[in-house]
């Protein structure tokens, strides 16, 4: 059920893909985010290419971050993101496995949420260049609750391979 007062919340969503034409997967997911009921797509980052984490014998990833305004609660938003992943034939084999599409809620207003289904801010976002660089592009003054300013956090990821692509 949406916020009772139809209050919009600002959320940031990470997008990632490394299977079945990853660039198209991300571009289509941007369109699908824009079509979510009670949701406006405000900003979308450039696409970034990054090396896989964990299981190394897989293709590089294409990553991006979207900023949205939504009346959906965090758990409703998660449910909608999982539906989009399923439309892209997402299979959850194991952590860090290759995927057609991965959508994660990074931030939701200034909320800190810890539930069995959902943790906000995303628990590993501050350790991943493929999240921080596109997030910094669209929200340069971003503050990550419990962690600090993105400009400070991004320095810890400086050794991770990431390449901004010239594709919109």
């Amino acid at each position: 059920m949406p916020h009772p007062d139809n209050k919009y919340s600002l959320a940031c969503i990470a997008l990632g893909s490394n299977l079945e034409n990853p660039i198209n997967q991300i571009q289509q997911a941007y369109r699908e985010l824009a079509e979510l009921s009670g949701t406006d797509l405000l900003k979308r980052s450039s696409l970034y290419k990054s090396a896989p984490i964990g299981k190394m014998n897989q293709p590089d990833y294409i990553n991006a971050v979207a900023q949205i305004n939504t009346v959906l609660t965090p758990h409703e938003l998660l449910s909608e993101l999982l539906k989009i992943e399923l439309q892209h034939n997402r299979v959850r084999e194991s952590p860090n496995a290759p995927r057609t599409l991965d959508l994660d809620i990074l931030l939701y207003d200034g909320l800190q949420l810890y539930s069995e289904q959902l943790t906000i801010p995303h628990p590993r976002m501050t350790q991943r260049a493929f999240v921080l660089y596109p997030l910094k592009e669209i929200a340069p003054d971003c503050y990550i609750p419990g962690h600090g300013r993105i400009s400070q956090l991004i320095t810890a990821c400086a050794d991770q391979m990431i390449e901004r692509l010239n594709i919109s």
Side-chain angles (χ1 to χ4, degrees):
M1 171 164 246
H3 285 288
D5 57 0
N6 283 334
K7 175 189 169 289
Y8 277 86
S9 293
L10 188 65
C12 292
I13 311 297
L15 301 88
S17 174
N18 73 336
L19 296 176
E20 298 179 27
N21 197 336
I23 291 171
N24 284 351
Q25 296 282 358
I26 300 299
Q27 290 170 332
Q28 178 61 30
Y30 270 143
R31 289 188 288 276
E32 291 163 342
L33 286 173
E35 294 169 0
L36 284 178
S37 178
T39 300
D40 296 316
L41 178 61
L42 301 177
K43 296 180 184 176
R44 48 186 276 178
S45 75
S46 301
L47 302 183
Y48 290 78
K49 181 179 177 182
S50 64
I53 291 179
K55 295 182 179 191
M56 302 308 287
N57 59 341
Q58 60 179 302
D60 286 345
Y61 279 82
I62 300 299
N63 299 99
V65 172
Q67 187 179 65
I68 62 171
N69 253 345
T70 187
V71 297
L72 299 173
T73 65
H75 286 90
E76 290 169 338
L77 180 57
L78 175 63
S79 176
E80 293 301 316
L81 297 181
L82 293 173
K83 288 177 190 175
I84 292 172
E85 287 182 352
L86 283 175
Q87 291 169 4
H88 288 253
N89 300 315
R90 167 73 190 267
V91 176
R92 294 183 184 275
E93 280 180 15
S94 62
N96 300 321
R99 60 209 54 189
T100 54
L101 184 64
D102 187 29
L103 299 173
D104 291 319
I105 301 172
L106 300 174
L107 301 166
Y108 185 98
D109 286 338
L111 184 66
Q112 288 184 280
L113 172 70
Y114 305 95
S115 76
E116 194 173 307
Q117 300 84 17
L118 182 60
T119 301
I120 299 173
H122 189 281
R124 292 170 302 284
M125 70 180 284
T126 60
Q127 306 160 8
R128 298 186 168 165
F130 64 81
V131 171
L132 294 178
Y133 279 87
L135 178 60
K136 187 173 191 286
E137 178 188 333
I138 63 171
D141 298 323
C142 181
Y143 177 81
I144 300 168
H147 297 280
R149 295 238 168 262
I150 195 165
S151 55
Q152 299 162 325
L153 298 168
I154 209 164
T155 58
C157 299
D159 61 335
Q160 296 177 26
M161 190 287 293
I162 186 166
E163 175 189 353
R164 185 175 173 176
L165 302 179
N166 292 322
I167 300 170
S168 39

